[in-house]
Amino acid sequence: MTVSESMSRLDAQRQALVEAALEHVPFDGWTKQSLLAGAEDLDLAPGEVDRLLPDGIRQAIITYVELVDRKMVAALDEKGLDDMKIRQRIATAVKTRLDLVEDQKDAVRAALANLALPQNVALGLKLTHGTVDKMWVAAGDTSTDHNWYTKRMLLAGVYGSTLAFWLDDKSDGHADSWAFLDRRISNVLQIPKITAKFGQVGKFAAAPFKLGAKLSRCVPTAGRMRRQFGG
């Protein structure tokens, strides 16, 4: 077996363990107990948990988020985003991402609670960046300048606020969440012009995703947002 094949096999085993553990997360949270219960469901020895997830719960959550992200990308590939306007592509990406975890709200809440811990805030920002980056790529974004950062910062805000609303949404088909999402995208289009130069905006926007700093002071102009989310 080649190194590449060995790594692929390890990744597949890790993902299988995390997916099995999801059945227990609503009761035990993202804990070692949930991982051990998942391993038992797969007829794995308890020691396999540490072998597959040497970084523990932190690695389990990373695996979970990245697994759903890959499913999102695959689903978006089948939705014909090229025929949609940019804002429709983004709305579709956010909806698709949340639909994939519709039956896993407790697991999502538990993951967010873990990522809200001071020692995990930077990881939470990194994972959010990874998710919204994949959304923009699926939407056809090809920017390479500071726009790349501002787009992802803004979508992180839209996605994060919609996720928070969606977690407590009990409306039929999450209709209220999708209306909220549309309002959030519309709000982005109405952001007033600020005095900061474009280069300064890009500089501040780059910092959170590169260094795990707070998402702040990254407000773009209304015209730029219409170009990015409108169309």
Side-chain angles (χ1 to χ4, degrees), residues 81 84-95 136 139 155 158 179 181-190 225-231:
L81 297 186
M84 303 178 186
K85 295 181 179 181
I86 291 296
R87 64 178 295 164
Q88 293 175 313
R89 298 179 194 180
I90 293 303
T92 299
V94 175
K95 291 178 183 179
W136 269 119
L155 182 51
V158 171
L181 171 60
D182 289 339
R183 291 195 299 272
R184 287 292 291 116
I185 293 177
S186 295
N187 289 342
V188 166
L189 302 182
Q190 299 171 12
M225 289 309 95
R226 289 191 182 95
R227 290 195 298 273
Q228 292 175 357
F229 284 91

Side-chain angles (χ1 to χ4, degrees), residues 180-217:
F180 177 86
L181 171 60
D182 289 339
R183 291 195 299 272
R184 287 292 291 116
I185 293 177
S186 295
N187 289 342
V188 166
L189 302 182
Q190 299 171 12
I191 295 175
K193 185 174 182 180
I194 61 171
T195 58
K197 293 180 180 179
F198 179 59
Q200 291 175 320
V201 174
K203 178 180 178 181
F204 286 124
F209 299 129
K210 288 185 175 181
L211 305 176
K214 291 183 179 179
L215 294 171
S216 60
R217 303 175 68 186

Side-chain angles (χ1 to χ4, degrees), residues 134-157:
K134 292 177 178 65
M135 289 179 180
W136 269 119
V137 171
D141 178 50
T142 58
S143 60
T144 57
D145 55 10
H146 292 310
N147 247 8
W148 190 94
Y149 296 106
T150 54
K151 284 182 177 182
R152 282 146 183 81
M153 180 277 299
L154 285 163
L155 182 51

Side-chain angles (χ1 to χ4, degrees), residues 17-18 20-22 24-25 28-51 53 57 60:
L17 173 57
V18 169
L22 282 173
H24 305 276
V25 171
D28 300 314
W30 283 100
T31 61
K32 184 67 171 290
Q33 185 174 349
S34 292
L35 298 179
L36 289 170
E40 184 176 356
D41 291 344
L42 296 176
D43 293 325
L44 297 177
E48 288 293 278
V49 172
D50 292 331
R51 182 182 73 85
L53 297 165
I57 301 306

Side-chain angles (χ1 to χ4, degrees), residues 68-76 93 97 100 131 134-135:
V68 180
D69 282 350
R70 283 194 290 274
K71 291 181 179 179
M72 174 190 71
V73 170
L76 292 176
R97 182 62 170 72
L100 286 169
T131 297
K134 292 177 178 65
M135 289 179 180

